[in-house]
Amino acid sequence: MGVVAGVDSSTQSCTVELRDSVDGRLLGSGRAPHPPTSPPVSEQHPDDWWAALRSSFAAALAAAGLAARDVDAISVAAQAHGLVMLGPDDRVLRPVKLWNDTTSSAQAAAMVAELGPAGWARAVGSVPTAAFTITKLAWVARHEPEHLTSLARVLLPHDHLSHRLTGRAVTDRSEASGTGYYAAHDERWLTEHLERWVSPGLDWDSVLPHVAGPSEPAGTAGTPSAGELGLRPDVVVGPGAGDQHAGALGIGLAPGQVLYSLGTSGVVMTTSTTAVHDASGWVDGVADAAGGWLPLVCTLNSTKVTDLAARLLGVDHAELTRLALAAERRPDRMVLAAYLDGERSPDRPRARGLLGGLRSDATREELALAAVEGVVLGLVRGHDAIRQAGVAADGVVVATGGGARSRAYLQVLADALGVPVETRDAPEATARGAAVQAAAVLHGADVREVRDAWAPFRTVVVEPLGSIPEEVREQYRALTGWAQPTETAPAT
C-alpha cells in the first residue's frame, strides 16, 4: 500500500493526515493546537510547532491503527511568510514573527516608497505589506540588529519543520515567492533586496535555503528530531509548500476555477500558467506548488469576524448561521467593514472595524448577517482585483476552510457572486495537499498527476437566492475608506 503523511502547520494548530500513497484514501488524522496570537505583535516559537507536530502525528497514527515505521513519506505545508532566524548551531534566535504580525508596516511602506509598486510587482510579482518576510527582516535590522550578527539561516515555517526532519535547508517556490526577495519567474533569490533593505554585510547566498521543485524531495528523515517521531531514516520528505498553495493541491483546483478559503485569513485565488505582476498591490503573483502560478488576494480578517459576532451575541456558530440566514434583506441594512486587526488587502495595517447603518430597529439577525457579509464583500473585491490583473477567474467557485462549513457563508458568497458555490470532500485541504506532494515524491511522479487523480468529489452546491444590493456594496466601500486612520504612521 504505502503510507504518506501530510502536515498542515497553520497559525492556530497542526493537523496531520495519513493517506494511502496510491489512491489517497484517508487512514487517520490528528490535530494539536498552537499558542494563540493576536496582531499587531503576532509571534510563536518554532518549538511549539514541533511539539504540536509530534502530538498530532501520534494521534493520526493511533486513529489509523498504524506505527510510525509504516510511514514511507511525509511533506509539510505551513503558514506562509513567517521569519525563522537560526544561529550557527541551528538555535532559534528569536520567536517567529508570523504573517499577521503588522509591526513591520513602516518598513513595508518605506520599501514601497523607494522602489515603487510597479517596481516591486516586476521584481517579485507582489507589492510588499507587513506580511512579507523581507519587511520582518528589516524590522529586526532596525530593532534587534544583534540577531543579524549571529544569523546563519533564514527559513520559513515549513522550511524549519522540514529542516528538523532532514537537516537540510530547503524551501519551495510557492513559499519563496512570498518573501519579497525571490523572483519565481527568474527562479533566483534577489539577494540585492536583502543587501539594500536589511544588511549589506551578510553573505546572503549562504543564509538562504535551496529552492526545490514541486516534485523534488527535500531529503530523508534521518535526523534525531525525525527519530523522535519514530520515522525510519529512509522516509522521503517532500519539498513542502505554503498553506494556501498546498490547499489548492488538496482541493484539486483546476485552471480557471476560483477558490475561496475561509479560515483565520481569507484568501481568494485561482491558477495561472503565466506569472502575474500586479502593481496595484492587491494581487500577490506568487508561484503555486505545481509548477505554475497562484494569483491570490489575502485578507487578515475572515472567520475571526464571525467568531467575534458569535461571542457578542452569546451564541454558538450554528445559531449565528441561523440568525444570519433569517435576517431581513433590506437594502438599508447594517454593514460591517471587517478590519478588526488592521488589513492586508487593501494594505491598511492600522485600520479597525466600522459598523454602519445602525437603526433603532436593528436586530440580532441583521448583526449576524453583517458579520458574514463583511468578510465576503472584502474577498469579492479581491476576486475583482484578480480579474483586473488580467487573470481568467470565472470558472467554478469552490469554498473551503472552517467558514465553508457554515451555510450562511456559502449562501452570502453565492448571492454576492451571482453564481453557485460548491464545497468538496476535503475538510483539511492543506494537509491533504501536503499528502499529495508526499505521494508524488515517494513514487517519483508529477505532483499534478497525483493532484488530479486524488481530486475530491463535490459535496454541497449552494445556488444564489438573491443578490447583495448596490446600496449595501456602496455602504461597504464607504466604510472601508473611513476605516484607516488618516494620520501618518511614525517610522519605527
Side-chain angles (χ1 to χ4, degrees):
M1 171 178 71
V3 177
V4 295
V7 179
D8 172 15
S9 182
S10 73
T11 313
Q12 295 179 320
S13 62
C14 182
T15 300
V16 176
E17 286 195 345
L18 300 177
R19 290 184 175 271
D20 184 295
S21 72
V22 176
D23 61 18
R25 176 169 46 94
L26 180 64
L27 305 174
S29 64
R31 175 178 292 178
H34 287 157
T37 71
S38 181
V41 178
S42 180
E43 298 182 347
Q44 290 170 341
H45 198 285
D47 287 349
D48 293 320
W49 303 340
W50 184 253
L53 173 54
R54 290 184 63 179
S55 178
S56 54
F57 184 64
L61 289 170
L66 296 171
R69 64 179 178 274
D70 297 319
V71 175
D72 300 297
I74 185 170
S75 195
V76 180
Q79 55 180 310
H81 303 303
L83 171 61
V84 182
M85 303 178 70
L86 302 182
D89 54 356
D90 288 334
R91 178 177 55 87
V92 177
L93 296 178
R94 71 174 319 281
V96 176
K97 281 193 169 296
L98 305 185
W99 63 276
N100 59 351
D101 184 296
T102 59
T103 55
S104 61
S105 58
Q107 284 72 34
M111 291 176 188
V112 175
E114 187 173 338
L115 189 58
W120 278 104
R122 284 192 300 270
V124 299
S126 308
V127 180
T129 66
F132 281 48
T133 317
I134 192 171
T135 71
K136 303 175 193 306
L137 276 165
W139 184 94
V140 170
R142 178 177 178 84
H143 294 278
E144 302 170 357
E146 66 277 8
H147 291 318
L148 295 181
T149 63
S150 53
L151 182 64
R153 296 189 196 280
V154 170
L155 299 175
L156 301 163
H158 93 68
D159 311 348
H160 176 72
L161 291 171
S162 297
H163 179 254
R164 290 199 67 159
L165 292 169
T166 66
R168 299 185 65 222
V170 178
T171 190
D172 85 303
R173 59 195 293 276
S174 76
E175 271 281 68
S177 63
T179 60
Y181 47 87
Y182 183 74
H185 54 287
D186 289 334
E187 297 186 350
R188 72 180 185 93
W189 291 114
L190 300 177
T191 54
E192 60 269 30
H193 280 198
L194 295 167
E195 292 168 354
R196 182 174 181 178
W197 283 293
V198 183
S199 172
L202 277 171
D203 179 9
W204 289 105
D205 286 319
S206 69
V207 168
L208 299 175
H210 166 70
V211 182
S215 304
E216 178 186 347
T220 55
T223 64
S225 290
E228 293 174 8
L229 298 180
L231 294 172
R232 305 188 319 266
D234 65 335
V235 167
V236 66
V237 180
D243 51 358
Q244 301 298 339
H245 315 79
L249 287 181
I251 211 74
L253 193 67
Q257 295 181 345
V258 183
L259 181 63
Y260 278 75
S261 177
L262 303 166
T264 305
S265 61
V267 181
V268 57
M269 68 187 89
T270 190
T271 60
S272 175
T273 57
T274 57
V276 177
H277 303 267
D278 177 34
S280 76
W282 272 83
V283 181
D284 290 344
V286 296
D288 70 3
W293 308 90
L294 195 72
L296 62 84
V297 173
C298 179
T299 65
L300 283 182
N301 301 279
S302 185
T303 55
K304 68 171 72 173
V305 177
T306 41
D307 288 346
L308 173 65
R311 178 164 57 81
L312 293 177
L313 290 169
V315 300
D316 60 17
H317 285 284
E319 178 63 9
L320 186 77
T321 292
R322 189 198 69 76
L323 289 170
L325 292 174
E328 181 182 357
R329 296 319 202 253
R330 52 191 292 172
D332 63 341
R333 59 183 177 261
M334 206 182 303
V335 177
L336 175 66
Y339 297 170
L340 305 188
D341 293 317
E343 191 45 85
R344 169 175 167 173
S345 301
D347 183 21
R348 294 178 177 172
R350 296 180 300 118
R352 289 295 180 264
L354 287 178
L355 188 64
L358 282 170
R359 309 177 315 275
S360 60
D361 62 347
T363 65
R364 289 159 55 84
E365 289 82 359
E366 194 175 339
L367 177 58
L369 177 62
V372 177
E373 285 186 336
V375 174
V376 168
L377 287 172
L379 287 170
V380 168
R381 287 179 76 184
H383 191 163
D384 291 339
I386 291 173
R387 291 193 188 99
Q388 291 164 11
V391 181
D394 298 307
V396 171
V397 175
V398 184
T400 188
R405 301 186 185 106
S406 163
R407 182 64 180 238
Y409 268 117
L410 300 179
Q411 190 62 64
V412 169
L413 182 57
D415 292 347
L417 296 173
V419 300
V421 173
E422 69 178 53
T423 62
R424 295 181 180 173
D425 185 30
E428 299 294 344
T430 297
R432 182 190 182 106
V436 165
Q437 193 183 67
V441 297
L442 176 64
H443 296 299
D446 188 311
V447 70
R448 293 170 295 186
E449 295 175 359
V450 182
R451 174 199 64 193
D452 296 343
W454 289 18
F457 59 83
R458 186 172 59 188
T459 52
V460 174
V461 179
V462 175
E463 300 283 346
L465 295 178
S467 62
I468 296 183
E470 185 57 31
E471 295 96 320
V472 172
R473 297 175 191 261
E474 287 180 359
Q475 174 79 309
Y476 175 81
R477 289 190 291 266
L479 285 173
T480 58
W482 297 328
Q484 172 77 338
T486 56
E487 69 271 14
T488 302
T492 58

